[in-house]
Amino acid sequence: MLIAVDLMQRESLAMVMAYAAFARQQVYWARDLFFVFVDGGAPGMDAWLAEYHLVEDNVLHGDPLTEMRGVMIGGVSQTSKTSSTNPVIRLELNHLNGQLPNLDLVNSVVRIAGKGKFALHSIVYGVRDAESGGSDWHMLVPLRAMYTQAFIAVEGIHSVMGKYGVQAITVAVPPLVSYPLRQSTRLLEAIARSLNNILERFHQSYFLYILASTDNFVSIAYFMPIIGGILLPLLIYAYRDWTFINYLTVPRTWLLMHAIGLCIWMISTKYFAEYTENTRNDVVLLGISMLIPWGLLIPTPVTEIQSLRFFLLLECCLAAGAVSLLNFSLALCFAVVAVPVLVKFTQDNEKRSRALLRTALALACHPVCIYALFLVYGKPYLGYGGKPVSLDANTFVNALLRLVKEHMVYGSHVLPLLLVIVLPMWNMILPLALVRSKLVSNGTPEAEEQAKIVEVQNHNDD
């Protein structure tokens, strides 16, 4: 098992060192204990775990380890945070890419802290409701849980342990001024001994859940159907287009948009890993390449409009469904925004004014802008404190810097999803929003002749 502490946390550092000296003298350990004193926060923890598991990293490099043992079944990151007059235990759970620790580990820590000689309330996501002796709104727990899962890649040094298969959480004990050191050390020992008694790795209980409080959760069987209900209109429209298409073709625009997104991701990843000298200036170039409306610059044949719309609707459903299996909250936010946009901007239209208005609105719904809005306004509205920053160029540059750092340093999947999946979908919406023809078939000579007639009529109307 792994017990980690940041070197900047002086109280926790003294506590863990005292406990390490005590644990070394005991003979009841069935597993090896690793005490890791982390320098540099989450990147330092990630570098150590990469060396331990013999994983090559292009960005983080650690010193070779002299000794290695077996598989780590669990981990605890120890911190000490200020609290009110009543001491509480603060827990941090979220791992990288929306992963969550096994629920058995969370329940064990909550029950150990809440019973016996400790009798401490546990607080998760900083919410102290009536059950914990506070006055916060109880619905803040699931709301903050979903926001953290979707938009906060690294919550603490425990977050990087998940990608190495280590089930870990951060336990923030009360400071020494409000809680005795002996009690805090005993709490750490109780958690370590509970992990010591595990006969096998965490595999039962839940890995996909949403906490409603420290003692209650919502299982996957209740929240996963929400994604299906939101995506159902797209499936209905896709089936309608399928019935109208006599000859299905793979649209060239669909292939080109994804090829452009894939090239931007591969080139930017290579460049930021090996050649960049001023990351902030280079991120501006990345942002410019993401803002280019390739869907308007590359013409789409009218005969491929319905096939393109069918592929787009189907891809949105498949992408949201696949992401929801790993990061439900991110998939939910994506579906809530994407479904209305696709329904309103991709349907048949014969009026030029409406087509121009739809195109302008589609340009305004850029994925990077929407992502920045979630980052700027999410925390203040959920009661984390602070005020929303102004929406200017620096806001979007900082959002891109954060995405690049999380992807290059920690291995976050948000940037490749944005470049390879979401941005191509946005570029495919643009020609569908601008088109003025209404075709019920394509791919045949009759359809091509009809498309030419429609184009001539549209030109004469102009």
Side-chain angles (χ1 to χ4, degrees), residues 282-292 366 368 400:
D282 295 336
V283 161
V284 174
L285 299 178
L286 174 62
I288 293 174
S289 66
M290 297 170 67
L291 292 175
I292 297 176
H366 195 279
V368 176
L400 284 178

Side-chain angles (χ1 to χ4, degrees), residues 147 364 367-379 391 395-396:
Y147 179 83
V368 176
C369 298
I370 296 175
Y371 185 82
L373 288 176
F374 275 108
L375 293 181
V376 170
Y377 293 101
K379 281 193 172 183
L391 291 177
T395 303
F396 299 104

Side-chain angles (χ1 to χ4, degrees), residues 8 21 35 40 57 127 226 233-234 242 286 335 390 432 440 445 448 458:
M8 301 300 295
F35 292 90
D57 197 305
V127 179
I226 298 175
L234 299 187
W242 171 260
L286 174 62
S390 59
L432 294 177
V440 297
E448 294 180 1
N458 292 339

Side-chain angles (χ1 to χ4, degrees), residues 74-360:
V76 176
S77 172
Q78 188 81 7
T79 62
S80 178
K81 294 185 178 180
T82 58
S83 61
S84 59
T85 55
N86 298 325
V88 294
I89 294 293
R90 300 177 182 271
L91 304 180
E92 296 177 355
L93 312 177
N94 289 73
H95 290 182
L96 191 65
N97 294 320
Q99 292 179 305
L100 293 169
N102 189 276
L103 194 59
D104 284 343
L105 177 61
V106 180
N107 291 336
S108 299
V109 175
V110 171
R111 282 164 172 74
I112 290 173
K115 294 183 178 180
K117 52 192 173 184
F118 305 114
L120 293 173
H121 289 293
S122 297
I123 293 179
V124 64
Y125 301 111
V127 179
R128 190 167 187 178
D129 54 11
E131 295 182 358
S132 303
S135 58
D136 292 336
W137 185 36
H138 67 281
M139 285 300 296
L140 280 178
V141 175
L143 291 176
R144 289 185 181 181
M146 297 178 66
Y147 179 83
T148 304
Q149 185 184 35
F151 300 105
I152 299 179
V154 177
E155 193 179 15
I157 62 176
H158 71 281
S159 299
V160 297
M161 301 182 190
K163 68 178 183 179
Y164 299 97
V166 181
Q167 305 300 315
I169 63 173
T170 290
V171 179
V173 299
L176 298 180
V177 295
S178 60
Y179 200 68
L181 175 62
R182 180 183 294 271
Q183 291 294 90
S184 299
T185 309
R186 285 179 175 177
L187 175 62
L188 180 59
E189 181 191 10
I191 297 173
R193 295 189 69 170
S194 66
L195 293 175
N196 182 63
N197 294 331
I198 297 177
L199 300 178
E200 53 191 2
R201 300 184 66 176
F202 288 103
H203 66 280
Q204 297 183 3
S205 190
Y206 290 89
F207 289 92
L208 298 174
Y209 55 87
I210 296 176
L211 285 182
S213 67
T214 54
D215 298 319
N216 300 281
F217 72 99
V218 181
S219 71
I220 184 176
Y222 292 97
F223 62 76
M224 192 60 74
I226 298 175
I227 287 288
I230 296 176
L231 297 176
L232 182 60
L234 299 187
L235 293 175
I236 295 175
Y237 279 110
Y239 177 74
R240 186 203 63 174
D241 290 343
W242 171 260
T243 58
F244 288 159
I245 297 175
N246 294 329
Y247 182 75
L248 181 65
T249 60
V250 179
R252 289 170 292 178
T253 303
W254 185 80
L255 296 174
L256 284 174
M257 294 302 106
H258 285 286
I260 292 173
L262 182 62
C263 291
I264 293 176
W265 172 59
M266 295 176 64
I267 293 173
S268 61
T269 301
K270 184 72 173 179
Y271 183 80
F272 283 115
E274 299 182 4
Y275 302 106
T276 184
E277 295 181 357
N278 191 328
T279 307
R280 189 174 186 85
N281 292 339
D282 295 336
V283 161
V284 174
L285 299 178
L286 174 62
I288 293 174
S289 66
M290 297 170 67
L291 292 175
I292 297 176
W294 299 103
L296 297 179
L297 300 179
I298 301 176
T300 301
V302 180
T303 54
E304 295 182 356
I305 288 296
Q306 281 202 328
S307 293
L308 179 62
R309 183 166 56 198
F310 173 75
F311 272 79
L312 178 59
L313 296 175
L314 200 60
E315 181 184 5
C316 180
C317 295
L318 293 176
V323 173
S324 66
L325 297 176
L326 180 63
N327 193 333
F328 167 79
S329 303
L330 183 61
L332 179 64
C333 295
F334 168 75
V336 167
V337 176
V339 170
V341 170
L342 288 174
V343 170
K344 296 299 294 183
F345 294 165
T346 63
Q347 300 309 308
D348 293 325
N349 174 53
E350 296 179 346
K351 296 182 179 180
R352 178 175 177 79
S353 59
R354 184 181 178 186
L356 294 177
L357 177 61
R358 294 196 315 179
T359 305

Side-chain angles (χ1 to χ4, degrees), residues 6 38-47 60 154 156-160 409-410:
D6 196 328
V38 182
D39 184 14
M45 187 76 255
D46 197 354
L60 298 175
V154 177
I157 62 176
H158 71 281
S159 299
V160 297
V409 178
Y410 305 116

